[in-house]
Amino acid sequence: MKISLNWLKEYVDIGNLPVPELISLLTMSGLEVEDYKDQNEIYKDFIVGFVKDKKKHPNADRLSLCTVYNGKEDLQVVCGAPNVDKGQKIIFAPVGSTIPKGNFVLKKAKIRGTESCGMICSEDELGLGDNHDGILVLDSSLVEGTPICDALNLNDVLIEIAITPNRPDALSHIGVARDISALLGKELKIPKVKSSKSISKLAEIEIEDKLNCPRYSAKIVKNVKINESPAWLKNKIKNIGLRPINNIVDVTNFVMHEVGQPLHAFDLNNLSKKKIIVKSTKEISTFKTLDSKDRKLPKDTLMICDGEKPIAIAGVMGGENSEINLETKDILIESAYFNPSSIRKTSKALALNTDASYRFERGTNPNITDFAAIRAAELIAEVSGGKIEEGIIDNYPNKIEPKKLTVRFTRISKLLGFGIDKEKIKNILSALELNIIKEDKDNLIVTVPTFRPDIEREVDIIEEIARINGYENIPTISKISITLDKKTDETTFTELIKSVANSLGFYEMINNPLLSKEKAMVIGDPIIVKNPQNLDMEYLRTSLIQGGLKVVSHNIKFGEKDLQLYEVGNVFNKTKKNIKSFDDFTEKSKLLFIVTGKSTKKEWNVNESGYDFYKLKGFLNSFERKIFLDNVLNDSYNAHESNFYDNYFQKNYKGKKIGEGGKLNKKILEQFDISQDVFLFEYDLEYLKDIAPDKKYYIEPLKFPKIYRDFAFIFDKEIIYNSVIEFISKNSSELSKSVRIFDLFENESLGKNKKSLAFALEYYSKDRTLTEEEVEKDFRSIIAAVTKKFDAQLRGN
Amino acid sequence: MLQEKIKLINKDFSFEIKSIKDAKQLDDLRVKYFSKNGLVPSLFALLKEATSKEKPLLGKILNEFRTDLQNQFDNVNSQLNDIKNTNLNKLDLTLPGVISNIGSKHILTQTLDEIKFIFKGMGFSVHEGPELESDYNNFEALNFAQDHPARDMQDTFFVSDDFVLRTHTSPVQIRLMKKQKPPVRAIMPGRVYRNEAVSSRSYCMFHQVEGLYVDTDVTFAELKGTLASFAKQFYGDDLKFRFRPSFFPFTEPSAEMDITCFICKGDGCKICKQSGWLEILGCGMVDPNVFDNVGYDNEKYTGYAFGMGIERIAMLKFGITDIRVFFENDYRFLKQF
Ligand SMILES: [Zn+2]
């Protein structure tokens, strides 16, 4: 919201407080200043200039060569504006001035070979408006050399404040002035109006929906002359960033920005039966608003109607049918209080946000409608020559009374951690118009003004005290106490996973879980976002694989083809069509490893090699060993149903799948625009966490020597490694502690469709030194068993 | 006569052979003493002039002398050859080493780790919660009334009428308090979503760390002290900070914490929009309505809560100007950290 400092000063005296201090004071009291423009500072270098002469630029058709008199001397200025002409008074920017648009310092320059000593400015360049078609031509009576701050009354400070949703009271100049008055201890000056008696003969107001419209006040002004507003009013309206329309609309805007009450002016003679009825629609209907748009109104929309038809969407926007126009003579000024949530519903349903709806949905002051109506009527009479009709029409069946709240002094210090002087507390409350109606040594009882709907409880009052007293005055303690209870860290396992992955050479990626439909549908049953930002982010990821492949694809495009990546993140799958409870979907934490390209690059003493299925398996084995899950999980190699993989395997724990992966199929890779092999594996992280042992035990190193044996057999080619190794393990005596393949060899010389597998066996006992004889006996019996079982042939050794 | 010459030559030779440094000098020495016209053969020429009586003895002396010089020469020669051979067989230590691959955590994870480390040191536990949350946990329980404009503070992705992609990590507060009686002191990191257009300054998802401390005597002063300590540990000891009033439905009073802009040291720059301050987190005292919603006695207990965005912190700390780079996962970016 924009605040004009000059305007603000009409309600509170800030003395000679420097502008930056005022700005800081506002920010530090919760009215955060996002930006401010001190016109005296911005425009200090600009002056009124006179265009004495204008010639064509010798080298450019579109440029003119002007002689500008600055009050002291004639200067040559190149100007590109089509409307510049001899005899104009203009805004002249001398060399060295800072042009607001673009924030640059103007230098003496050669433009197309001709020197230019300054610039003739447009509205847009100065930030005074958005007209950039040409230069701003000034009143001819202005004197050359006059600073434009004086010539154009540019001596305001325009402050942009971010008002938090709890502070509707601060959405006006008086509201902001009230905080300043409390902060500075200065009096708040509210304009006086003549009091009006309530009457009902001028027009009739009927409220059908009393819940959503607790109060409707109106004031009538007759014989107005619709016209441009006077300069003081236009200037104020412009300074807060609005466009002046006419004297009636400008006054209603003025009063809204003065006291925060949105107003609407109806042409009284267009009101059928001179009647206003406030009611909610019973069914869906359409209505043309004053911006000539047909609006589709839902059921239960609060409307302002006359004797026969709707004339405005209450609190949001007036209708075209009752708008004031140049012929309007008599006006009715509406000043009402509407239920905030009703206005918010309407505004949301119509996607129509106006200055009025913005204030009503945050909560206006129900007890100020009469004041605002009279204030507007008086100003309208003043600027339009109209006559105010005696009395106010005011329908307020159930007066909304200020709340009463108790504040305990002890509670203030319990919450804030320090005590505040009682007198100081009382002064703050009074300045904010929280009137103290009762006081004892422990408590204050205050009434809460109806312009502060946010103050509902004791704690809200404590906040006001803390805020005005200053957060900087709350001590910053330097010691805390810590309980000796057990601390938990639910992220420990994930951290362990990540450091193991790093040590294996993997880089962590973090992907956006929102995917396009096409990508999400690749796996699982994705959940759709009802209001996506765009179609590329319409579904939640069902797996980490899609995001991983997008990253692979992105990197390959940028020439990074050798990748080793992992991600830990949550994936989402629907289990029911509509999500009404946590049982209707799953959210699971997953861990993805993904490798592609070369695992080692050619170096002077290293040969190049690529990632493959076995390297992936190897990574997983090393990873599992580090989290103590080696020899716990077992692999299975059934073909994958979805044809997702060329080479697929899964890992299981006690028969339950704990992860899956392999070499991806070309078809899948094509969907991600990838043409090189990709190997990946995705673990169910929660399950992994459940089974990972949290305790480890020491194993004493072996005290007796190991005995090694190895052998190689020629097998039929279709005999798989796993069946051989399992057979050897099963048929060895307990002396044989491990079997490991160390060579695989295929060659015609072995015979057709044959292969040779070589194994190394390790024998030892924890309790004694083995004898060669017993090992040899065992070794021989395995050789015999393997030979027999697989019809294998022992190779000479 | 001959014996004197032998003495002289011996003296010169002994001197010269000591100063031999390379094969070239050695060869010069060989030419000087051992070649056809060299000094040693010239001595044999002199032998002819000796009397026949002296000849056998002088011949013997001369032969012994020649053998001695030749031995000395051979020794030096073999030493030089040894050095040469060693140099040939030696490793070229200047060749580059073989690089081992070590990966790294994403910079956001590293930033979060640092934050966790600091708060764990101050007695905080670490908890997590789901990203797909009920509207109740994300809003209602945190005192966001159904039709209140406060809901506009966070643009929300809906997956149904009752479920949303959480807009902040604050619902984890609710989950934690419902599970556990006070005292509760925990931080809750996680991913959150906002329905905002993607640009260099905002993304539709980002990460937050939430903090909560509830006990019988928790004060705003302690909130200030704890967060000031965090900021100093994280950003450096010399920073200034300030707390200014703000609004969050789930805290009352609410505040935002600013620290001196570490780019311009408070003088004002583009990053801090000329203010000299950088907003780093939102915080406040837990609203009594939130305590009601989780079944805590709001007379007996007080508490504070805070929340900060990790991307913003990492952007400031590492000079990253486009938030999108975090989620592109460009290998060249990942490898930098
Ligand atoms: Zn700065």
Side-chain angles (χ1 to χ4, degrees), chain B residues 232-257:
Chain B
K232 287 188 172 180
Q233 290 182 65
F234 190 82
Y235 292 101
D237 234 352
D238 53 346
L239 67 75
K240 280 194 238 136
F241 60 87
R242 68 178 191 186
F243 287 78
R244 53 187 167 73
S246 188
F247 168 71
F248 306 104
F250 43 99
T251 50
E252 185 78 7
S254 304
E256 275 172 317
M257 183 183 184

PDB file of all heavy atoms in Angstrom, chain B residues 232-257:
ATOM      1  N   LYS B 232      25.104 -16.125  14.450  1.00  0.00           N
ATOM      2  CA  LYS B 232      26.537 -15.853  14.614  1.00  0.00           C
ATOM      3  C   LYS B 232      27.375 -17.079  14.284  1.00  0.00           C
ATOM      4  O   LYS B 232      28.437 -16.978  13.687  1.00  0.00           O
ATOM      5  CB  LYS B 232      26.825 -15.365  16.028  1.00  0.00           C
ATOM      6  CG  LYS B 232      26.310 -13.942  16.189  1.00  0.00           C
ATOM      7  CD  LYS B 232      26.718 -13.297  17.476  1.00  0.00           C
ATOM      8  CE  LYS B 232      26.298 -11.831  17.397  1.00  0.00           C
ATOM      9  NZ  LYS B 232      26.632 -11.079  18.577  1.00  0.00           N
ATOM     10  N   GLN B 233      26.889 -18.248  14.702  1.00  0.00           N
ATOM     11  CA  GLN B 233      27.637 -19.470  14.379  1.00  0.00           C
ATOM     12  C   GLN B 233      27.645 -19.735  12.882  1.00  0.00           C
ATOM     13  O   GLN B 233      28.609 -20.223  12.331  1.00  0.00           O
ATOM     14  CB  GLN B 233      27.026 -20.675  15.105  1.00  0.00           C
ATOM     15  CG  GLN B 233      27.236 -20.649  16.602  1.00  0.00           C
ATOM     16  CD  GLN B 233      26.655 -21.895  17.251  1.00  0.00           C
ATOM     17  OE1 GLN B 233      27.104 -22.999  17.028  1.00  0.00           O
ATOM     18  NE2 GLN B 233      25.631 -21.710  18.061  1.00  0.00           N
ATOM     19  N   PHE B 234      26.531 -19.417  12.242  1.00  0.00           N
ATOM     20  CA  PHE B 234      26.405 -19.757  10.823  1.00  0.00           C
ATOM     21  C   PHE B 234      27.022 -18.698   9.908  1.00  0.00           C
ATOM     22  O   PHE B 234      27.682 -19.017   8.939  1.00  0.00           O
ATOM     23  CB  PHE B 234      24.927 -19.954  10.473  1.00  0.00           C
ATOM     24  CG  PHE B 234      24.697 -20.531   9.101  1.00  0.00           C
ATOM     25  CD1 PHE B 234      24.793 -21.907   8.890  1.00  0.00           C
ATOM     26  CD2 PHE B 234      24.404 -19.708   8.025  1.00  0.00           C
ATOM     27  CE1 PHE B 234      24.587 -22.441   7.631  1.00  0.00           C
ATOM     28  CE2 PHE B 234      24.212 -20.244   6.752  1.00  0.00           C
ATOM     29  CZ  PHE B 234      24.291 -21.615   6.561  1.00  0.00           C
ATOM     30  N   TYR B 235      26.766 -17.449  10.216  1.00  0.00           N
ATOM     31  CA  TYR B 235      27.188 -16.380   9.309  1.00  0.00           C
ATOM     32  C   TYR B 235      28.455 -15.655   9.755  1.00  0.00           C
ATOM     33  O   TYR B 235      29.047 -14.908   8.993  1.00  0.00           O
ATOM     34  CB  TYR B 235      26.083 -15.332   9.151  1.00  0.00           C
ATOM     35  CG  TYR B 235      24.873 -15.835   8.430  1.00  0.00           C
ATOM     36  CD1 TYR B 235      23.732 -16.207   9.138  1.00  0.00           C
ATOM     37  CD2 TYR B 235      24.858 -15.950   7.047  1.00  0.00           C
ATOM     38  CE1 TYR B 235      22.612 -16.680   8.476  1.00  0.00           C
ATOM     39  CE2 TYR B 235      23.748 -16.414   6.383  1.00  0.00           C
ATOM     40  CZ  TYR B 235      22.624 -16.773   7.093  1.00  0.00           C
ATOM     41  OH  TYR B 235      21.533 -17.236   6.437  1.00  0.00           O
ATOM     42  N   GLY B 236      28.829 -15.816  10.995  1.00  0.00           N
ATOM     43  CA  GLY B 236      30.035 -15.124  11.444  1.00  0.00           C
ATOM     44  C   GLY B 236      29.744 -14.251  12.645  1.00  0.00           C
ATOM     45  O   GLY B 236      28.657 -13.701  12.795  1.00  0.00           O
ATOM     46  N   ASP B 237      30.755 -14.115  13.471  1.00  0.00           N
ATOM     47  CA  ASP B 237      30.607 -13.501  14.776  1.00  0.00           C
ATOM     48  C   ASP B 237      30.322 -12.008  14.736  1.00  0.00           C
ATOM     49  O   ASP B 237      29.744 -11.444  15.652  1.00  0.00           O
ATOM     50  CB  ASP B 237      31.919 -13.715  15.566  1.00  0.00           C
ATOM     51  CG  ASP B 237      31.629 -14.349  16.901  1.00  0.00           C
ATOM     52  OD1 ASP B 237      30.433 -14.463  17.240  1.00  0.00           O
ATOM     53  OD2 ASP B 237      32.591 -14.717  17.588  1.00  0.00           O
ATOM     54  N   ASP B 238      30.741 -11.363  13.630  1.00  0.00           N
ATOM     55  CA  ASP B 238      30.714  -9.909  13.624  1.00  0.00           C
ATOM     56  C   ASP B 238      29.401  -9.338  13.107  1.00  0.00           C
ATOM     57  O   ASP B 238      29.275  -8.140  12.935  1.00  0.00           O
ATOM     58  CB  ASP B 238      31.884  -9.381  12.787  1.00  0.00           C
ATOM     59  CG  ASP B 238      31.910 -10.010  11.397  1.00  0.00           C
ATOM     60  OD1 ASP B 238      31.200 -11.021  11.199  1.00  0.00           O
ATOM     61  OD2 ASP B 238      32.622  -9.500  10.520  1.00  0.00           O
ATOM     62  N   LEU B 239      28.403 -10.211  12.860  1.00  0.00           N
ATOM     63  CA  LEU B 239      27.205  -9.644  12.232  1.00  0.00           C
ATOM     64  C   LEU B 239      26.301  -8.955  13.249  1.00  0.00           C
ATOM     65  O   LEU B 239      26.320  -9.242  14.448  1.00  0.00           O
ATOM     66  CB  LEU B 239      26.430 -10.717  11.475  1.00  0.00           C
ATOM     67  CG  LEU B 239      25.754 -11.860  12.201  1.00  0.00           C
ATOM     68  CD1 LEU B 239      24.474 -11.440  12.919  1.00  0.00           C
ATOM     69  CD2 LEU B 239      25.412 -12.926  11.203  1.00  0.00           C
ATOM     70  N   LYS B 240      25.514  -8.006  12.727  1.00  0.00           N
ATOM     71  CA  LYS B 240      24.463  -7.391  13.530  1.00  0.00           C
ATOM     72  C   LYS B 240      23.155  -8.022  13.093  1.00  0.00           C
ATOM     73  O   LYS B 240      23.026  -8.512  11.972  1.00  0.00           O
ATOM     74  CB  LYS B 240      24.434  -5.887  13.294  1.00  0.00           C
ATOM     75  CG  LYS B 240      25.494  -5.157  14.083  1.00  0.00           C
ATOM     76  CD  LYS B 240      25.167  -3.664  14.064  1.00  0.00           C
ATOM     77  CE  LYS B 240      26.299  -2.932  13.485  1.00  0.00           C
ATOM     78  NZ  LYS B 240      26.238  -1.926  12.573  1.00  0.00           N
ATOM     79  N   PHE B 241      22.179  -8.012  13.985  1.00  0.00           N
ATOM     80  CA  PHE B 241      20.893  -8.592  13.623  1.00  0.00           C
ATOM     81  C   PHE B 241      19.790  -7.713  14.182  1.00  0.00           C
ATOM     82  O   PHE B 241      20.020  -6.874  15.046  1.00  0.00           O
ATOM     83  CB  PHE B 241      20.770 -10.009  14.177  1.00  0.00           C
ATOM     84  CG  PHE B 241      20.863 -10.063  15.676  1.00  0.00           C
ATOM     85  CD1 PHE B 241      19.726  -9.899  16.464  1.00  0.00           C
ATOM     86  CD2 PHE B 241      22.093 -10.254  16.310  1.00  0.00           C
ATOM     87  CE1 PHE B 241      19.815  -9.931  17.844  1.00  0.00           C
ATOM     88  CE2 PHE B 241      22.191 -10.279  17.689  1.00  0.00           C
ATOM     89  CZ  PHE B 241      21.040 -10.113  18.462  1.00  0.00           C
ATOM     90  N   ARG B 242      18.592  -7.909  13.666  1.00  0.00           N
ATOM     91  CA  ARG B 242      17.451  -7.214  14.247  1.00  0.00           C
ATOM     92  C   ARG B 242      16.204  -8.077  14.083  1.00  0.00           C
ATOM     93  O   ARG B 242      16.102  -8.872  13.142  1.00  0.00           O
ATOM     94  CB  ARG B 242      17.250  -5.842  13.596  1.00  0.00           C
ATOM     95  CG  ARG B 242      16.805  -5.902  12.151  1.00  0.00           C
ATOM     96  CD  ARG B 242      16.565  -4.494  11.565  1.00  0.00           C
ATOM     97  NE  ARG B 242      15.893  -4.594  10.278  1.00  0.00           N
ATOM     98  CZ  ARG B 242      15.654  -3.574   9.476  1.00  0.00           C
ATOM     99  NH1 ARG B 242      16.027  -2.351   9.815  1.00  0.00           N
ATOM    100  NH2 ARG B 242      15.028  -3.739   8.316  1.00  0.00           N
ATOM    101  N   PHE B 243      15.298  -7.937  15.019  1.00  0.00           N
ATOM    102  CA  PHE B 243      14.007  -8.618  14.947  1.00  0.00           C
ATOM    103  C   PHE B 243      12.954  -7.554  14.753  1.00  0.00           C
ATOM    104  O   PHE B 243      12.946  -6.560  15.461  1.00  0.00           O
ATOM    105  CB  PHE B 243      13.721  -9.380  16.242  1.00  0.00           C
ATOM    106  CG  PHE B 243      14.552 -10.618  16.401  1.00  0.00           C
ATOM    107  CD1 PHE B 243      15.875 -10.543  16.811  1.00  0.00           C
ATOM    108  CD2 PHE B 243      14.007 -11.864  16.130  1.00  0.00           C
ATOM    109  CE1 PHE B 243      16.649 -11.687  16.945  1.00  0.00           C
ATOM    110  CE2 PHE B 243      14.773 -13.015  16.274  1.00  0.00           C
ATOM    111  CZ  PHE B 243      16.088 -12.931  16.677  1.00  0.00           C
ATOM    112  N   ARG B 244      12.081  -7.749  13.763  1.00  0.00           N
ATOM    113  CA  ARG B 244      11.008  -6.767  13.598  1.00  0.00           C
ATOM    114  C   ARG B 244       9.663  -7.480  13.533  1.00  0.00           C
ATOM    115  O   ARG B 244       9.580  -8.628  13.092  1.00  0.00           O
ATOM    116  CB  ARG B 244      11.245  -5.887  12.379  1.00  0.00           C
ATOM    117  CG  ARG B 244      11.485  -6.642  11.142  1.00  0.00           C
ATOM    118  CD  ARG B 244      11.879  -5.771   9.968  1.00  0.00           C
ATOM    119  NE  ARG B 244      12.371  -6.658   8.934  1.00  0.00           N
ATOM    120  CZ  ARG B 244      11.567  -7.443   8.215  1.00  0.00           C
ATOM    121  NH1 ARG B 244      10.253  -7.381   8.380  1.00  0.00           N
ATOM    122  NH2 ARG B 244      12.068  -8.271   7.323  1.00  0.00           N
ATOM    123  N   PRO B 245       8.621  -6.796  14.001  1.00  0.00           N
ATOM    124  CA  PRO B 245       7.302  -7.440  14.075  1.00  0.00           C
ATOM    125  C   PRO B 245       6.807  -7.876  12.699  1.00  0.00           C
ATOM    126  O   PRO B 245       7.055  -7.206  11.707  1.00  0.00           O
ATOM    127  CB  PRO B 245       6.403  -6.339  14.628  1.00  0.00           C
ATOM    128  CG  PRO B 245       7.328  -5.374  15.295  1.00  0.00           C
ATOM    129  CD  PRO B 245       8.598  -5.431  14.515  1.00  0.00           C
ATOM    130  N   SER B 246       6.148  -9.024  12.661  1.00  0.00           N
ATOM    131  CA  SER B 246       5.579  -9.512  11.417  1.00  0.00           C
ATOM    132  C   SER B 246       4.308 -10.272  11.758  1.00  0.00           C
ATOM    133  O   SER B 246       3.792 -10.141  12.871  1.00  0.00           O
ATOM    134  CB  SER B 246       6.592 -10.399  10.695  1.00  0.00           C
ATOM    135  OG  SER B 246       6.113 -10.721   9.419  1.00  0.00           O
ATOM    136  N   PHE B 247       3.837 -11.080  10.846  1.00  0.00           N
ATOM    137  CA  PHE B 247       2.622 -11.825  11.121  1.00  0.00           C
ATOM    138  C   PHE B 247       2.697 -13.224  10.540  1.00  0.00           C
ATOM    139  O   PHE B 247       3.016 -13.407   9.370  1.00  0.00           O
ATOM    140  CB  PHE B 247       1.410 -11.101  10.523  1.00  0.00           C
ATOM    141  CG  PHE B 247       0.152 -11.940  10.512  1.00  0.00           C
ATOM    142  CD1 PHE B 247      -0.514 -12.236  11.688  1.00  0.00           C
ATOM    143  CD2 PHE B 247      -0.350 -12.459   9.323  1.00  0.00           C
ATOM    144  CE1 PHE B 247      -1.661 -13.030  11.684  1.00  0.00           C
ATOM    145  CE2 PHE B 247      -1.491 -13.256   9.305  1.00  0.00           C
ATOM    146  CZ  PHE B 247      -2.146 -13.529  10.491  1.00  0.00           C
ATOM    147  N   PHE B 248       2.450 -14.209  11.375  1.00  0.00           N
ATOM    148  CA  PHE B 248       2.220 -15.578  10.932  1.00  0.00           C
ATOM    149  C   PHE B 248       1.059 -16.086  11.776  1.00  0.00           C
ATOM    150  O   PHE B 248       1.020 -15.836  12.987  1.00  0.00           O
ATOM    151  CB  PHE B 248       3.451 -16.463  11.164  1.00  0.00           C
ATOM    152  CG  PHE B 248       4.706 -15.901  10.545  1.00  0.00           C
ATOM    153  CD1 PHE B 248       5.667 -15.300  11.335  1.00  0.00           C
ATOM    154  CD2 PHE B 248       4.890 -15.936   9.177  1.00  0.00           C
ATOM    155  CE1 PHE B 248       6.810 -14.746  10.768  1.00  0.00           C
ATOM    156  CE2 PHE B 248       6.031 -15.386   8.601  1.00  0.00           C
ATOM    157  CZ  PHE B 248       6.992 -14.788   9.400  1.00  0.00           C
ATOM    158  N   PRO B 249       0.114 -16.787  11.166  1.00  0.00           N
ATOM    159  CA  PRO B 249      -1.072 -17.194  11.927  1.00  0.00           C
ATOM    160  C   PRO B 249      -0.743 -18.086  13.126  1.00  0.00           C
ATOM    161  O   PRO B 249      -1.479 -18.106  14.104  1.00  0.00           O
ATOM    162  CB  PRO B 249      -1.905 -17.950  10.899  1.00  0.00           C
ATOM    163  CG  PRO B 249      -1.448 -17.429   9.585  1.00  0.00           C
ATOM    164  CD  PRO B 249       0.009 -17.129   9.754  1.00  0.00           C
ATOM    165  N   PHE B 250       0.378 -18.820  13.054  1.00  0.00           N
ATOM    166  CA  PHE B 250       0.669 -19.810  14.100  1.00  0.00           C
ATOM    167  C   PHE B 250       1.612 -19.303  15.174  1.00  0.00           C
ATOM    168  O   PHE B 250       2.015 -20.060  16.047  1.00  0.00           O
ATOM    169  CB  PHE B 250       1.186 -21.105  13.470  1.00  0.00           C
ATOM    170  CG  PHE B 250       2.189 -20.886  12.367  1.00  0.00           C
ATOM    171  CD1 PHE B 250       3.539 -20.988  12.592  1.00  0.00           C
ATOM    172  CD2 PHE B 250       1.744 -20.562  11.093  1.00  0.00           C
ATOM    173  CE1 PHE B 250       4.454 -20.773  11.563  1.00  0.00           C
ATOM    174  CE2 PHE B 250       2.651 -20.336  10.058  1.00  0.00           C
ATOM    175  CZ  PHE B 250       3.996 -20.448  10.299  1.00  0.00           C
ATOM    176  N   THR B 251       1.995 -18.033  15.076  1.00  0.00           N
ATOM    177  CA  THR B 251       2.787 -17.447  16.166  1.00  0.00           C
ATOM    178  C   THR B 251       2.198 -16.106  16.571  1.00  0.00           C
ATOM    179  O   THR B 251       1.626 -15.394  15.765  1.00  0.00           O
ATOM    180  CB  THR B 251       4.267 -17.237  15.760  1.00  0.00           C
ATOM    181  OG1 THR B 251       4.310 -16.549  14.514  1.00  0.00           O
ATOM    182  CG2 THR B 251       5.015 -18.538  15.658  1.00  0.00           C
ATOM    183  N   GLU B 252       2.352 -15.765  17.832  1.00  0.00           N
ATOM    184  CA  GLU B 252       1.886 -14.478  18.353  1.00  0.00           C
ATOM    185  C   GLU B 252       2.641 -14.204  19.646  1.00  0.00           C
ATOM    186  O   GLU B 252       2.517 -14.991  20.576  1.00  0.00           O
ATOM    187  CB  GLU B 252       0.373 -14.543  18.605  1.00  0.00           C
ATOM    188  CG  GLU B 252      -0.247 -13.243  19.029  1.00  0.00           C
ATOM    189  CD  GLU B 252      -0.461 -12.284  17.854  1.00  0.00           C
ATOM    190  OE1 GLU B 252      -0.243 -12.693  16.704  1.00  0.00           O
ATOM    191  OE2 GLU B 252      -0.821 -11.132  18.114  1.00  0.00           O
ATOM    192  N   PRO B 253       3.446 -13.166  19.754  1.00  0.00           N
ATOM    193  CA  PRO B 253       3.843 -12.255  18.680  1.00  0.00           C
ATOM    194  C   PRO B 253       4.725 -12.952  17.637  1.00  0.00           C
ATOM    195  O   PRO B 253       5.368 -13.960  17.934  1.00  0.00           O
ATOM    196  CB  PRO B 253       4.682 -11.207  19.419  1.00  0.00           C
ATOM    197  CG  PRO B 253       4.484 -11.426  20.873  1.00  0.00           C
ATOM    198  CD  PRO B 253       4.088 -12.840  21.036  1.00  0.00           C
ATOM    199  N   SER B 254       4.742 -12.363  16.437  1.00  0.00           N
ATOM    200  CA  SER B 254       5.534 -12.885  15.339  1.00  0.00           C
ATOM    201  C   SER B 254       6.635 -11.900  14.988  1.00  0.00           C
ATOM    202  O   SER B 254       6.501 -10.705  15.240  1.00  0.00           O
ATOM    203  CB  SER B 254       4.671 -13.097  14.093  1.00  0.00           C
ATOM    204  OG  SER B 254       3.588 -13.939  14.366  1.00  0.00           O
ATOM    205  N   ALA B 255       7.695 -12.420  14.398  1.00  0.00           N
ATOM    206  CA  ALA B 255       8.806 -11.544  14.030  1.00  0.00           C
ATOM    207  C   ALA B 255       9.515 -12.070  12.791  1.00  0.00           C
ATOM    208  O   ALA B 255       9.390 -13.247  12.452  1.00  0.00           O
ATOM    209  CB  ALA B 255       9.814 -11.446  15.178  1.00  0.00           C
ATOM    210  N   GLU B 256      10.238 -11.173  12.147  1.00  0.00           N
ATOM    211  CA  GLU B 256      11.173 -11.581  11.124  1.00  0.00           C
ATOM    212  C   GLU B 256      12.557 -11.154  11.574  1.00  0.00           C
ATOM    213  O   GLU B 256      12.706 -10.117  12.205  1.00  0.00           O
ATOM    214  CB  GLU B 256      10.816 -10.978   9.765  1.00  0.00           C
ATOM    215  CG  GLU B 256       9.795 -11.849   9.060  1.00  0.00           C
ATOM    216  CD  GLU B 256       9.219 -11.254   7.790  1.00  0.00           C
ATOM    217  OE1 GLU B 256       8.891 -10.053   7.793  1.00  0.00           O
ATOM    218  OE2 GLU B 256       9.078 -11.989   6.824  1.00  0.00           O
ATOM    219  N   MET B 257      13.546 -11.990  11.264  1.00  0.00           N
ATOM    220  CA  MET B 257      14.894 -11.672  11.681  1.00  0.00           C
ATOM    221  C   MET B 257      15.707 -11.246  10.466  1.00  0.00           C
ATOM    222  O   MET B 257      15.707 -11.922   9.443  1.00  0.00           O
ATOM    223  CB  MET B 257      15.541 -12.896  12.326  1.00  0.00           C
ATOM    224  CG  MET B 257      16.941 -12.621  12.853  1.00  0.00           C
ATOM    225  SD  MET B 257      17.662 -14.118  13.527  1.00  0.00           S
ATOM    226  CE  MET B 257      19.202 -13.494  14.170  1.00  0.00           C
TER     227      MET B 257
END
